[in-house]
C-alpha cells in the first residue's frame, strides 16, 4: 500500500497529536491569493494546523472578480461542527461570509463553540465597494462581533460598522475602535494599509480601554493580495499557540510586514499579486 501500512487499530493520541490547531471559516479565491488560501498559508507559516469551513466558491484572478457562489448556510454549519466534534481547535477566525444566512449561522455557533474567535469583517472589496447586503452587515455588527475576542477591520470596514466615514484621521479611527470594542470584543485593530499617503502605515489597536499605534514602513508594491487575511489568520494562529492578545497582534503585524516584503518584487498575474508568508 503506497504511503504506509493500513492498520485497524487507531494510533494513540499521545503518538500522533497535532497541537495546536486552528479553524478558518472563509471563502475560496480561485487565484489562491486571498481568503481561505491565505489563511491556511498563515497558519502553516505560524506552525499551526489549519482546518476550514468553506463559505463560498469564487471565480477570480489577480485582476478581476468574475463570480461567486455561496455555500449553503446549513452545509457551512455542518463543516464547522464536523471539525469541532473531532479536533481540539484552539482558536478560530472568520473571513468573507457573504450572505445574511451564513452570518447568522456562524453567529449562532460562535458564542457556544468557536474558541478565541478572530473576526475579519470582510465588508468591502478591493475597490472599496460593499460585498454584503445591509442585512448581512447588520448581522456581523450585532450578532457576530459580540462573540469575537479580536476584530480586524480596515478603516473602510470600521466606518461601515459604526455608520460613518472615518476619513484618514487616526483620532477618528481610535473613536470608532472604542465603539466597536464596546460591543464585546476584547481587542479591535483598525488597519491602515489601504491609505495611499505617507511613508508609513499605521494600525490602531484598542484593548481594555487603552490605545496603541502600530507602524510599519510602506513597501511600494502592488502585491498586497491577501495581506488582511494573513494578518487576521496570524493573530488566530498565535492565540492557538497560547499567546496573549497583545503578543499575538504584534507577531501577526510583523509576519504580515515581512510577507508583503517577500512578495513585493514577484510577478504573478496581471493585477495585484499575493503576499508570501511562507517565504520567511
Amino acid at each position: 500500500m503506497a504511503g504506509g501500512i493500513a492498520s485497524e487499530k487507531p494510533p494513540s493520541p499521545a503518538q500522533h497529536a497535532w497541537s495546536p490547531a486552528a479553524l478558518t471559516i472563509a471563502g475560496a479565491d480561485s487565484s489562491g491569493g486571498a481568503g481561505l488560501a491565505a489563511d491556511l498559508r498563515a497558519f502553516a507559516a505560524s506552525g499551526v494546523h489549519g482546518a476550514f469551513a468553506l463559505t463560498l466558491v469564487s471565480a477570480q484572478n489577480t485582476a478581476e472578480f468574475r463570480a461567486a457562489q455561496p455555500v449553503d448556510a446549513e452545509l457551512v454549519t455542518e463543516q464547522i461542527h464536523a471539525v469541532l466534534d473531532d479536533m481540539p481547535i484552539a482558536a478560530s477566525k472568520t473571513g468573507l461570509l457573504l450572505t445574511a444566512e451564513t452570518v447568522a449561522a456562524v453567529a449562532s455557533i460562535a458564542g457556544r463553540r468557536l474558541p478565541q474567535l478572530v473576526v475579519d469583517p470582510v465588508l468591502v472589496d478591493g475597490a472599496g465597494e460593499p460585498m454584503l447586503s445591509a442585512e448581512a452587515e447588520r448581522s456581523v455588527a450585532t450578532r457576530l462581533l459580540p462573540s469575537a475576542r479580536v476584530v480586524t477591520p480596515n478603516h473602510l470596514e470600521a466606518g461601515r460598522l459604526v455608520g460613518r466615514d472615518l476619513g484618514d484621521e487616526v483620532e477618528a479611527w481610535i473613536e470608532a475602535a472604542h465603539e466597536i470594542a464596546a460591543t464585546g470584543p476584547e481587542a479591535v485593530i483598525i488597519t491602515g494599509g489601504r491609505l495611499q499617503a505617507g511613508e508609513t502605515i499605521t494600525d490602531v489597536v484598542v484593548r481594555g480601554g487603552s490605545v496603541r499605534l502600530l507602524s510599519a514602513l510602506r513597501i511600494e508594491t502592488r502585491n498586497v493580495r491577501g495581506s488582511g487575511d494573513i494578518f487576521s489568520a496570524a493573530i488566530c494562529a498565535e492565540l492557538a499557540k497560547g499567546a496573549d492578545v497583545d503578543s499575538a497582534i504584534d507577531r501577526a503585524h510583523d509576519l504580515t510586514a515581512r510577507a508583503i516584503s517577500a512578495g513585493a518584487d514577484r510577478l504573478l498575474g496581471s493585477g495585484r499579486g499575493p503576499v508570501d508568508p511562507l517565504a520567511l
Side-chain angles (χ1 to χ4, degrees):
M1 178 179 180
I5 300 173
S7 173
E8 295 182 0
K9 182 180 179 181
S12 69
Q15 290 178 304
H16 296 278
W18 278 86
S19 181
L23 168 68
T24 178
I25 305 166
D29 168 7
S30 54
S31 77
L36 182 68
D39 289 345
L40 294 179
R41 286 202 301 275
F43 287 170
S46 301
V48 169
H49 174 74
F52 68 86
L54 182 66
T55 60
L56 68 126
V57 177
S58 71
Q60 58 181 303
N61 55 39
T62 64
E64 61 180 330
F65 188 98
R66 296 183 180 181
Q69 178 67 50
V71 174
D72 184 80
E74 184 176 347
L75 182 54
V76 175
T77 299
E78 288 298 323
Q79 292 176 78
I80 296 170
H81 286 309
V83 172
L84 295 177
D85 288 347
D86 183 57
M87 290 183 173
I89 298 297
S92 54
K93 68 150 292 189
T94 61
L96 179 57
L97 302 180
L98 194 62
T99 70
E101 293 78 12
T102 297
V103 175
V106 174
S108 69
I109 302 170
R112 298 180 291 110
R113 300 204 69 188
L114 292 177
Q116 302 199 92
L117 178 62
V118 177
V119 173
D120 181 3
V122 184
L123 306 181
V124 300
D125 62 16
E129 296 300 316
M131 296 190 73
L132 273 63
S133 67
E135 180 186 358
E137 275 198 10
R138 284 193 300 271
S139 191
V140 168
T142 62
R143 299 189 61 183
L144 190 59
L145 296 195
S147 296
R149 189 174 187 193
V150 181
V151 181
T152 65
N154 61 47
H155 76 286
L156 297 178
E157 292 162 339
R160 299 191 71 85
L161 290 172
V162 299
R164 62 182 183 276
D165 183 2
L166 300 183
D168 59 2
E169 296 297 326
V170 170
E171 291 76 13
W173 296 14
I174 292 172
E175 183 180 354
H178 279 296
E179 290 181 36
I180 296 169
T183 68
E186 179 179 338
V188 177
I189 308 104
I190 298 181
T191 60
R194 281 177 174 264
L195 294 182
Q196 298 301 312
E199 295 182 355
T200 61
I201 296 173
T202 299
D203 299 338
V204 168
V205 181
V206 167
R207 177 174 177 259
S210 66
V211 178
R212 291 195 297 140
L213 301 182
L214 300 179
S215 296
L217 290 176
R218 183 181 300 278
I219 298 169
E220 293 302 326
T221 179
R222 68 180 183 179
N223 295 338
V224 294
R225 190 175 188 84
S227 54
D229 306 290
I230 295 291
F231 179 56
S232 58
I235 294 173
C236 178
E238 292 299 328
L239 292 176
K241 289 157 59 178
D244 60 70
V245 169
D246 284 330
S247 296
I249 292 168
D250 291 345
R251 293 171 189 171
H253 185 264
D254 181 61
L255 184 147
T256 304
R258 290 184 288 123
I260 294 172
S261 179
D265 296 326
R266 297 182 181 178
L267 296 177
L268 184 64
S270 60
R272 295 189 311 151
V275 302
D276 190 358
L278 292 175
L280 307 177

